[in-house]
């Protein structure tokens, strides 16, 4: 059976656009890892055709907390576009999402194109800034359930992100305590060490992926290193706050239902 890459890409893009869940691809047809990344590429292409542009890349499943919550144990990567970005302390309208969850992340601002593998000791040369961030993930699959290939095809559940204030690249990001609060209640705690033992390693990992798949992360892009804690479902009216010690606070307000 030939796999209808383009049809699946359109199906996933429409599910995102209409905020309407769709069934898991892997339940009706097997797809390979390569197919999954091709579907992701084509699905993002639909967004680009509508005038969006790429703003960066993200990693997924770089912490044990996330792997265990979702039952997927491989590092994955996806793409971010300008329509996903929200201002720090801005708002989020639940109507545009299916079953969104929030998770605290660390973000990097990329200083030099990344298209080939890099060593940990060279990573600082590729960074112009570091920041705390919040990611809103919203799987396009029913019940937020997926296989590794399903989630890759679905652009790793990317749906929105907020970047806190950028700090100089030399700012310490090792062993930072990270807290996620919703309506002033602490709902998740973790540390930056939860991200691959050292969040800088997320750039080593994504560089390997860029080399393998033949893409380049251009200077000026944002890279999200992957969540340090499990993700939490959002409700109307939630006030979300990520606290990242020296990197400060990142906020997002979920609008009340109209
Ligand atoms: C997939 C995306 C994972 C992360 O930070 O680990 C991710 C998901 O959990 O739906 O963004
Ligand atoms: Mg994430």
């Amino acid at each position: 059976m030939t796999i209808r890459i383009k049809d699946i890409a359109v199906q996933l893009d429409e599910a995102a656009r209409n905020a309407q869940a769709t069934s898991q691809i892997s339940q009706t047809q097997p797809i390979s890892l390569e197919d999954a990344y091709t579907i992701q590429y084509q699905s993002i292409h639909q967004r680009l055709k509508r005038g969006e542009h790429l703003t960066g890349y993200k990693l997924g499943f770089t912490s044990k907390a996330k792997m265990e919550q979702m039952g997927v144990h491989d590092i994955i990567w996806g793409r971010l576009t300008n329509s996903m970005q929200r201002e720090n302390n801005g708002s989020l309208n639940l109507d545009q999402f299916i079953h969104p969850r929030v998770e605290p992340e660390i973000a990097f601002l990329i200083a030099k194109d990344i298209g080939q593998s890099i060593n940990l000791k060279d990573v600082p040369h590729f960074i112009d800034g570091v920041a705390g961030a919040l990611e809103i993930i919203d799987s396009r699959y029913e019940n937020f359930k997926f296989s590794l290939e399903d989630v890759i095809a679905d652009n790793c559940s990317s749906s929105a992100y907020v970047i806190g204030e950028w700090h100089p690249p030399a700012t310490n990001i090792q062993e930072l305590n990270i807290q996620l609060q919703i309506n002033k209640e602490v709902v998740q705690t973790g540390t930056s060490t939860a991200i691959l033992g050292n969040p800088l390693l997320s750039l080593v990992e994504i560089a390997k992926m860029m080399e393998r798949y033949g893409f380049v992360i251009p200077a000026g892009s944002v890279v999200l290193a992957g969540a340090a804690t499990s993700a939490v479902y959002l409700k109307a009216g939630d006030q979300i706050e990520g606290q990242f010690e020296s990197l400060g606070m990142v906020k997002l307000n979920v609008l009340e239902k109209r």
Side-chain angles (χ1 to χ4, degrees), residues 58-62 66 102-105 134-137 156-158 160 224-229 231:
K58 64 166 274 185
L59 289 110
F61 305 130
T62 49
K66 281 292 302 182
V102 61
E103 53 191 25
E105 303 248 353
L134 296 172
E135 186 182 23
I136 309 301
I137 49 170
C156 308
S157 311
S158 306
L224 296 180
T229 73

Side-chain angles (χ1 to χ4, degrees), residues 159-172:
S159 69
Y161 67 95
V162 189
I163 308 285
E165 198 182 316
W166 287 114
H167 289 68
T171 309
N172 173 45

Side-chain angles (χ1 to χ4, degrees), residues 110-128:
I110 301 305
K112 277 203 298 197
D113 292 5
I114 301 178
Q116 277 170 352
S117 294
I118 49 181
N119 295 321
L120 181 57
K121 71 169 185 15
D122 294 326
V123 164
H125 303 304
F126 287 84
I127 305 174
D128 252 349

Side-chain angles (χ1 to χ4, degrees), residues 141-154:
Y141 301 117
E142 285 149 5
N143 307 316
F144 225 113
K145 283 232 170 81
F146 44 68
S147 68
L148 173 69
E149 292 79 11
D150 287 328
V151 67
I152 290 168
D154 183 28

Side-chain angles (χ1 to χ4, degrees), residues 1-2 59 79 85 120 122 128 130-131 150 183 219 224-225 232 237-238:
M1 190 174 68
T2 48
L59 289 110
R79 294 162 164 104
Q85 188 165 9
L120 181 57
D122 294 326
D128 252 349
V130 293
D150 287 328
N183 305 325
L224 296 180
V232 180
D238 276 349

